[in-house]
């Protein structure tokens, strides 16, 4: 009944903020949309909560209860969820895309997901790539300042963004292998550094604009 009301109001897409990571519910809503001749995009967060994993670390050193944008866990979860959506789109063509919401409501959040993170993993990877030694016991709140003092701010940003772009590119390629016309949608826009510097150039294609 709700889908019929939405169509009657003049809309051509439905995107409930519940059930987007539950394949059974995604199939159910996609089938409802198809029966009414409109489209469905599955809503999901663009972040994954954690209390114990590799957290996002802000420039001032405080963290947030979500996985860092540099964590394998976050990207693996996004990929598995989005690829399942893409597979469902082959079964039910009304399933048009995945909608990723990058608003931040997690403990410790400061702005939307994601800006640069200063987590252990990306600091170690950057240091190895740049051929520099991190000072022993460099506290999270000292990392941004240390990079600036060494003249490494720009290289650190470019290194981290390149990591994001590579991950985003692989995900889009995996989606294309299933359904090249499957859409990826992001909010908010213009958006955070992750969205503007990595998802904009890698997730939009001629067949499936972002």
């Amino acid at each position: 009944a709700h889908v019929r009301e939405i169509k009657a109001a003049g809309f051509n897409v439905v995107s409930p903020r519940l059930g987007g990571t539950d394949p059974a519910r995604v199939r159910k809503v996609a089938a409802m949309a198809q029966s009414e001749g409109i489209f469905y995009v599955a809503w999901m967060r663009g972040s994954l909560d954690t209390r114990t994993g590799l957290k996002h670390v802000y420039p001032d050193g405080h963290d947030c209860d979500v996985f860092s944008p540099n964590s394998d866990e976050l990207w693996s979860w996004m990929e598995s969820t989005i690829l399942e959506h893409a597979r469902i789109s082959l079964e039910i063509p009304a399933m048009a895309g995945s909608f990723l919401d990058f608003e931040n409501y997690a403990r410790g959040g400061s702005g939307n997901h994601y800006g640069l993170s200063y987590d252990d993993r990306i600091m170690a990877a950057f240091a190895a790539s740049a051929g520099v030694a991190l000072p022993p016991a460099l506290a999270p709140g000292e990392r941004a300042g240390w990079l600036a003092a060494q003249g490494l701010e720009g290289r650190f940003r470019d290194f981290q963004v390149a990591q994001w772009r590579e991950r985003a590119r692989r995900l889009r390629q995996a989606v294309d292998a299933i359904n090249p016309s499957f859409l990826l949608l992001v909010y908010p826009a213009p958006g955070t550094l992750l969205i503007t510097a990595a998802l904009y150039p890698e997730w939009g294609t001629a067949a499936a604009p972002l």
Side-chain angles (χ1 to χ4, degrees), residues 56 63 93 139 195:
H56 178 66
D63 61 33
I195 294 173

Side-chain angles (χ1 to χ4, degrees), residues 46-145:
S47 62
L48 185 63
D49 292 351
T50 185
R51 295 280 182 91
T52 59
L54 183 74
K55 295 183 182 183
H56 178 66
V57 177
Y58 291 94
D60 66 2
H62 87 274
D63 61 33
C64 184
D65 282 352
V66 294
F67 278 106
S68 161
N70 306 304
S71 72
D72 295 335
E73 293 85 352
L74 172 65
W75 287 92
S76 177
W77 170 78
M78 282 202 293
E79 179 174 332
S80 63
T81 305
I82 292 169
L83 294 188
E84 181 63 15
H85 291 169
R87 285 188 284 268
I88 292 170
S89 76
L90 298 180
E91 304 169 25
I92 310 172
M95 174 73 183
S98 300
F99 184 110
L100 286 89
D101 185 339
F102 288 92
E103 276 195 282
N104 185 357
Y105 297 99
R107 182 217 59 85
S110 178
N112 295 318
H113 307 299
Y114 280 104
L116 293 177
S117 178
Y118 296 82
D119 57 81
D120 293 345
R121 184 176 296 175
I122 196 65
M123 291 296 295
F126 172 71
S129 173
V132 298
L134 296 175
L138 185 65
E142 299 171 342
R143 294 170 181 176

Side-chain angles (χ1 to χ4, degrees):
H2 290 158
V3 175
R4 285 194 296 273
E5 288 174 3
I6 289 166
K7 180 182 180 181
F11 296 98
N12 69 340
V13 180
V14 62
S15 184
R17 279 190 70 244
L18 292 172
T21 57
D22 176 355
R25 191 157 182 172
V26 168
R27 283 185 172 86
K28 180 179 179 180
V29 180
M32 291 179 188
Q34 183 146 310
S35 70
E36 297 300 328
I38 63 175
F39 296 100
Y40 167 54
V41 294
W43 182 94
M44 61 186 285
R45 284 269 168 229
S47 62
L48 185 63
D49 292 351
T50 185
R51 295 280 182 91
T52 59
L54 183 74
K55 295 183 182 183
H56 178 66
V57 177
Y58 291 94
D60 66 2
H62 87 274
D63 61 33
C64 184
D65 282 352
V66 294
F67 278 106
S68 161
N70 306 304
S71 72
D72 295 335
E73 293 85 352
L74 172 65
W75 287 92
S76 177
W77 170 78
M78 282 202 293
E79 179 174 332
S80 63
T81 305
I82 292 169
L83 294 188
E84 181 63 15
H85 291 169
R87 285 188 284 268
I88 292 170
S89 76
L90 298 180
E91 304 169 25
I92 310 172
M95 174 73 183
S98 300
F99 184 110
L100 286 89
D101 185 339
F102 288 92
E103 276 195 282
N104 185 357
Y105 297 99
R107 182 217 59 85
S110 178
N112 295 318
H113 307 299
Y114 280 104
L116 293 177
S117 178
Y118 296 82
D119 57 81
D120 293 345
R121 184 176 296 175
I122 196 65
M123 291 296 295
F126 172 71
S129 173
V132 298
L134 296 175
L138 185 65
E142 299 171 342
R143 294 170 181 176
W146 181 82
L147 290 165
Q150 303 303 309
L152 296 171
E153 281 177 303
R155 289 176 65 185
F156 178 73
R157 179 191 185 280
D158 292 347
F159 178 81
Q160 189 163 171
V161 168
Q163 301 265 309
W164 297 344
R165 287 194 63 169
E166 175 61 25
R167 292 179 185 269
R169 185 181 311 120
R170 289 201 303 265
L171 198 159
R172 180 70 245 188
Q173 289 170 345
V175 170
D176 287 346
I178 298 170
N179 181 358
S181 65
F182 190 77
L183 298 171
L184 296 175
L185 303 89
V186 297
Y187 174 86
T192 59
L193 184 64
L194 173 73
I195 294 173
T196 59
L199 305 189
Y200 276 11
E202 301 296 347
W203 276 8
T205 68
L210 182 69

